[in-house]
Amino acid sequence: MALEHAILVSLDERSGSGYELARRFEKSIGFFWAATHQQIYRTLKRMVELGWVTGHEVAQDGRPDKKVYEVADAGRAELARWLASPGEPETIRHDLSVKVRGASLGDPAALVDEVARHRDLHAERLDVYLAVEKKDFPDPSALSGRRLHQHLVLRGGIRAERALVEWCDEVLVALREDDRR
Amino acid sequence: MALEHAILVSLDERSGSGYELARRFEKSIGFFWAATHQQIYRTLKRMVELGWVTGHEVAQDGRPDKKVYEVADAGRAELARWLASPGEPETIRHDLSVKVRGASLGDPAALVDEVARHRDLHAERLDVYLAVEKKDFPDPSALSGRRLHQHLVLRGGIRAERALVEWCDEVLVALREDDRR
DNA sequence: GCCACCTATGCAACTTGTTGCACTGCACGC
DNA sequence: GCGTGCAGTGCAACAAGTTGCATAGGTGGC
């Protein structure tokens, strides 16, 4: 599984606590890898046992103590190994497609609403990604290294969301057209 | 979870055994919902207990007996309920993006190979989908009902794979360009 | 005659991911 | 002074997905 690797990548960019990692997964990392704080805490614990990261407690005043984690050499080695190892393309699980395929067994109007709702959600996400791109990567052609890689991943999110919005639109036109007949 | 619903949709299109369902999930249904035979057998068992499907054994000569399942009224009701209920957009888990984002921690050439490999896999899938479209849906504008829904889902697969191929190409150009500097 | 592969179902063990809850303490609005 | 929300960590139970194996007869190649 790649959650460990996603955490390694994130910790390598900047060390942090489980809580901070969870926040990053809600925003930037979460654009391409979802994880809850529960998963992150459990995985960090295992990674310490494996020697991939080291953790030390940091006292804070006014706030609870936190444990800050850093990538260890063994973690960097594991990441390098994994980066070079071939992986399977993702297994797809797309609820909305199941719903569209089963459309004739339910209420057509309700399905149209559901597709329209997803269309708007994806359009919103697309806007967020485009705003991030404009703000953080104003001159893409000048990028290199880490910043380039971050931008490329964002580009993937943009392409994926755009494709989804367009697909939803295609579905909506077709379903409404079919309804009228 | 939607595996049950994907099975209901598939069984509604045509009754079949667990084994047959597993085959369908390898091809058409698997285009948007992956499942192994283990999951399918287990889920079918649960669905019988819930009264969503009925199963009866069918003796075959030369081959092992099979259990053929059919959708029951309660199953159709559940499917209708689920179709009208709002769902979350998919949680994304994209290995390759994690790899790209962590690129600076591994061998650049190995990552380029990995991205190129995925590019070819997605291009292959795209070709398969396009071939299916040409063969099974030669006149898309004339479609309605169930056939229309099947075609729309296929369109989603085509859009998704095309977006992935194009993203891989963008990544390859950028990584190679960056390497040269 | 043996090996490999297909049809067909399923158990058991394991890994992952989800959900609900528990505990602490500060800040802020009303 | 009370509820809400944020920061922070974590257990426990459950649901879902994966992997390895077992069983059993039939087909087809060498």
Side-chain angles (χ1 to χ4, degrees):
Chain A
M1 83 140 164
L3 174 55
E4 298 139 345
H5 303 107
I7 290 177
L8 286 172
V9 168
S10 186
L11 281 183
D12 183 81
E13 287 177 4
R14 185 172 351 161
S15 300
S17 68
Y19 188 87
E20 283 161 1
L21 281 169
R23 312 244 69 185
R24 290 185 215 169
F25 272 80
E26 267 172 38
K27 42 178 198 72
S28 71
I29 313 283
F31 291 175
F32 55 96
W33 198 278
T36 63
H37 76 278
Q38 273 311 319
Q39 272 175 276
I40 291 167
Y41 283 128
R42 217 200 303 157
T43 305
L44 279 171
K45 204 179 164 185
R46 187 154 31 97
M47 288 168 80
V48 170
E49 283 161 25
L50 288 166
W52 294 1
V53 296
T54 54
H56 52 274
E57 296 205 9
V58 174
Q60 305 186 106
D61 51 47
R63 291 180 182 184
D65 297 356
K66 63 178 178 180
K67 283 187 207 160
V68 172
Y69 295 90
E70 279 172 68
V71 181
D73 288 343
R76 254 179 292 272
E78 164 59 21
L79 196 54
R81 186 203 61 73
W82 177 75
L83 282 172
S85 72
E88 293 295 303
E90 312 310 308
T91 52
I92 308 145
R93 274 170 195 171
H94 201 226
D95 269 64
L96 198 57
S97 289
V98 179
K99 287 187 181 180
V100 170
R101 178 112 174 207
S104 24
L105 294 136
D107 173 16
L111 184 70
V112 166
D113 288 352
E114 174 72 349
V115 175
R117 202 172 57 82
H118 279 258
R119 190 239 172 248
D120 292 345
L121 285 170
H122 290 300
E124 250 175 64
R125 278 198 196 164
L126 178 57
D127 285 347
V128 170
Y129 293 176
L130 288 172
V132 171
E133 187 183 35
K134 204 171 175 182
K135 182 169 173 286
D136 293 350
F137 307 97
D139 183 9
S141 59
L143 297 169
S144 73
R146 216 171 278 235
R147 297 284 296 153
L148 171 65
H149 306 145
Q150 287 174 3
H151 182 242
L152 287 172
V153 170
L154 183 60
R155 292 291 308 159
I158 290 170
R159 284 182 185 278
E161 295 299 335
R162 189 171 280 148
L164 281 166
V165 171
E166 287 169 4
W167 178 67
C168 285
D169 284 337
E170 182 181 354
V171 171
L172 286 171
V173 167
L175 289 183
R176 283 173 178 147
E177 170 73 16
D178 194 44
D179 255 19
R180 268 200 296 281
R181 291 193 293 216
Chain B
M1 84 134 166
L3 174 55
E4 298 140 342
H5 303 106
I7 290 177
L8 285 172
V9 168
S10 185
L11 282 183
D12 182 80
E13 287 178 3
R14 187 173 347 162
S15 299
S17 68
Y19 188 85
E20 283 161 1
L21 281 169
R23 314 244 68 186
R24 290 184 214 171
F25 272 79
E26 268 171 38
K27 44 180 195 72
S28 71
I29 312 284
F31 291 175
F32 56 97
W33 198 279
T36 62
H37 75 278
Q38 274 309 321
Q39 273 174 276
I40 292 167
Y41 283 127
R42 211 186 323 141
T43 305
L44 279 171
K45 204 180 164 186
R46 188 154 31 98
M47 288 167 79
V48 170
E49 282 161 26
L50 288 166
W52 294 359
V53 296
T54 53
H56 53 273
E57 295 204 10
V58 174
Q60 303 184 105
D61 50 47
R63 291 178 182 185
D65 296 356
K66 64 178 177 178
K67 284 188 207 161
V68 172
Y69 294 89
E70 278 172 68
V71 181
D73 287 343
R76 253 179 293 273
E78 165 58 23
L79 196 54
R81 187 203 61 73
W82 178 75
L83 284 171
S85 72
E88 293 297 301
E90 311 311 308
T91 52
I92 307 143
R93 277 176 190 165
H94 201 227
D95 269 65
L96 197 58
S97 290
V98 179
K99 287 188 180 178
V100 170
R101 178 114 175 204
S104 22
L105 293 136
D107 174 15
L111 185 70
V112 166
D113 288 351
E114 175 72 348
V115 176
R117 203 173 56 84
H118 280 258
R119 191 242 172 244
D120 291 346
L121 285 170
H122 290 299
E124 250 175 65
R125 277 197 197 167
L126 178 57
D127 285 346
V128 170
Y129 294 177
L130 288 171
V132 170
E133 188 182 35
K134 204 172 176 182
K135 184 169 170 287
D136 292 352
F137 306 97
D139 184 8
S141 60
L143 296 170
S144 73
R146 215 170 279 234
R147 296 284 296 154
L148 171 65
H149 307 144
Q150 287 174 1
H151 183 242
L152 287 172
V153 170
L154 182 61
R155 292 292 307 159
I158 289 170
R159 284 181 185 278
E161 295 299 334
R162 189 172 280 146
L164 282 165
V165 170
E166 287 170 4
W167 177 67
C168 286
D169 284 337
E170 182 181 354
V171 171
L172 286 170
V173 167
L175 288 183
R176 283 173 178 147
E177 170 70 15
D178 194 44
D179 255 17
R180 268 198 297 280
R181 289 195 293 216

